Amino acid sequence: METSLFDEFEKTSIAAWKNKIQVDLKGADYNDTLLWKSKENIIVKPFYSHEDRANLNTDAPKKGFNICQTIFVDDVTIANSLALDALKRGANSIQFKAKTKFDYQKLLQNLNLKSVKLYFEISFLDEDFIIEISNYINSENTFFQIDIIGNLAETGNWYYNLNEDFNRIEKINKQAKNCISVSLDLYENCGATITQQLAYTLAHANEYLQKFGSEIANKIHFCFSVGSNYFFEIAKLRAFRILWSAVLKEYAVHNLKAHIFTKPSSRNKTLYDYNVNLLRTTSECMSAILGGSDSIANLSYDSIYHKSNEFGERISRNQLLVLQQESNFKEAQNFADGSYYIESITNQLAENALTLFKQIEQSGGFLKQLKNGVIQKKIKESAKKEENDFLEKELILLGTNFQQNKKDLMLQNLELYPFVKQRNIKTLISPLTRNRISEPLEKKRLEDEKGNTLTENG
């Protein structure tokens, strides 16, 4: 047996490392200087060792990630053409978004329905229409991103009412595959902490399991968003797979992997200095890949203020292609295995989220907490703290609250309204609102632009 190259080096104990660090600190306190607490209440250390390894089984996908292109269905002929073009240019998965019924045969014309993963985000609940599409495609690779509980949380109302919504979902369940989606992305984009995102998503999914039983488990899949906290976002995805497996075991369901569809978060994207969004989404897509996402749909750098356009969509798709083909991330779903740091925070996030999940269940479950406003209150508190950190520059968004380019003018470039729209409708519960951290500051800059324009024209 060959001698290891490392055998000639003397092993250094953890205590020796700490002593060396303490000497180098020259009297400064180790805890005050080098330890920091994340907003998840996880203490991050300056170094990790084999003692921090948790030997976790994250049950990652067997295959690498799919590159997904998101397409809005307005004109089915145009949407079909965009889908075919995206598949020729490197995508192998398509997400169709629709607000009204459409001609699905025309939409899917010339697509390989057996090999291409298809996601349908349909913002209405029509069981006959969904069953028709499912029967027409008849593939395990088709996913319907339908989430009646997520719709209640985001809009404040059921599509129809509680019983009717669940009855319609039950009809869909009997005939369609992969027909229940659970929206972690909602909690991320409203400002929830990672621990909250994990616990709320778990409790959210558990409502479906309790309503329909364990036989529904193989039809549930998940929509995630990832933020800019690189290692923590990797750990988030890995922790969720551990937690989901633990919940399924309570229903006597084994060997069923969570299917996770992931997008970068919108919460940290900015209107000004928008090219920095490319850096943010690249980092976030890397987290999504290393965390073990099944499919990833990137956000274009200009999606805040521009309508969908060929250039922005091509760049966003190419970011994923570069990571997949040129950065050797094609089969990277297990790259984080054995990382002392990532395994440590994965384990802690899972433990913290499980504690919160149990508290929710003991208090009557997710729907009860949602109707009582508890979930909304907790997320609002977390979002407010994050927004205060942004205003105080403890949270930096380059080009927005730090190193602003005063010559960067956006008033004339807005094709879309980039801010939260006020809703004046009666709701059953207080809705959760997706919003970006930088919105208040951007509104002020736009007002200043208007004022300067009026002055110059006056």
Side-chain angles (χ1 to χ4, degrees), residues 252-310:
V253 177
H254 303 278
N255 302 317
L256 182 62
K257 295 178 184 290
H259 183 92
I260 299 177
F261 173 94
T262 306
K263 281 189 173 183
S265 174
S266 296
R267 187 157 170 78
N268 63 346
K269 302 307 176 288
T270 57
L271 178 62
Y272 288 90
D273 215 344
Y274 49 76
N275 285 322
V276 181
N277 290 333
L278 287 165
L279 303 178
R280 297 180 183 120
T281 53
T282 300
S283 168
E284 289 156 4
C285 285
M286 288 174 68
S287 292
I289 295 167
L290 295 172
S293 298
D294 292 276
S295 294
I296 303 172
N298 195 10
L299 286 178
S300 63
Y301 72 97
D302 59 349
S303 60
I304 294 170
Y305 65 93
H306 269 171
K307 295 176 182 177
S308 179
N309 59 88
E310 196 277 336

Side-chain angles (χ1 to χ4, degrees), residues 321-338:
L321 283 167
V322 168
L323 290 172
Q324 184 188 68
Q325 303 296 331
E326 298 183 26
S327 302
N328 293 322
F329 274 17
K330 188 173 184 179
E331 298 287 340
Q333 64 271 27
N334 294 308
F335 279 12
D337 288 356

